[in-house]
Amino acid sequence: MKVAVKKSKLHGKGVFAAKNIDTKEIIEFCETIIIPKEEIDDLNKTNLGNYHFSWVGGNSVIALGNGSLYNHSYKPNARYVKEYREGKLKFVAIKNIRKGEEITVNYNGSPESKEKVWFEVKELIKNYKNSKTMMKASKGRQMQGMLRKLGMG
């Protein structure tokens, strides 16, 4: 087992590495359930509205396995790939991930995207000066001041 679901400091539950995972290593393939585009508005009125992925033809999918539990980050350590022919989502490491580290993806698809998402984003920042992990909402001045204090900005 490469991953485990645990309580996350970012948002509710998250997916964590149960062992070291190398860059480009496949973390998991997730089967999906297709949600027809005509049903997406109804889906968005439920708790599942935050857990679906856009799909071909204006449809969406719910990822099974751990697929809908990966949290968002603008500095992700993994990415998801839509495998349309197989009807699956593939999660792949884009950095080396240490055992116990939370695995995150950028919900916009591209790991480099800075496009805003529909919720307040929290990021974990490692403070190397005193070896504490700190969490702050990624909001303009507050985040910039935090990065300056950490010697990272």
Side-chain angles (χ1 to χ4, degrees):
M1 178 69 79
K2 290 183 187 182
V3 298
V5 175
K6 299 179 183 179
K7 185 174 180 179
S8 169
K9 291 182 180 180
L10 294 177
H11 187 80
K13 293 180 181 178
V15 180
F16 292 79
K19 66 174 202 75
N20 290 337
I21 299 172
D22 296 327
T23 303
K24 298 184 181 179
E25 187 174 339
I26 295 171
I27 299 167
E28 77 174 304
F29 279 100
C30 297
E31 295 290 340
T32 62
I33 298 173
I34 295 177
I35 309 298
K37 61 184 172 186
E38 300 81 24
E39 296 177 18
I40 294 172
D41 285 341
D42 291 332
L43 179 69
N44 284 331
K45 295 174 188 173
T46 73
N47 288 335
L48 290 176
N50 288 319
Y51 296 95
H52 62 93
F53 294 78
S54 62
W55 206 248
V56 292
N59 300 312
S60 283
V61 295
I62 297 290
L64 301 178
N66 299 307
S68 291
L69 297 176
Y70 290 90
N71 282 318
H72 170 79
S73 176
Y74 288 117
K75 296 180 180 181
N77 52 17
R79 71 174 298 147
Y80 62 89
V81 179
K82 297 173 181 178
E83 301 283 349
Y84 294 117
R85 287 185 186 175
E86 293 83 15
K88 296 180 180 183
L89 286 171
K90 177 172 64 174
F91 290 82
V92 180
I94 59 172
K95 299 177 182 175
N96 288 330
I97 304 170
R98 293 183 319 271
K99 180 180 178 179
E101 185 178 348
E102 183 165 3
I103 302 170
T104 58
V105 297
N106 187 319
Y107 284 5
N108 294 315
S110 168
E112 297 83 24
S113 176
K114 301 299 181 207
E115 187 177 328
K116 288 190 178 236
V117 290
W118 63 97
F119 56 89
E120 181 181 38
V121 176
K122 296 178 182 175
E123 297 281 359
L124 292 176
I125 302 169
K126 181 78 173 176
N127 181 343
Y128 293 100
K129 291 181 181 175
N130 61 14
S131 297
K132 289 184 180 174
T133 300
M134 302 172 70
M135 181 178 66
K136 284 286 180 184
S138 61
K139 289 182 176 176
R141 289 186 194 151
Q142 185 179 20
M143 182 58 106
Q144 297 229 339
M146 181 72 172
L147 291 173
R148 273 194 295 280
K149 286 179 186 175
L150 295 173
M152 298 167 64

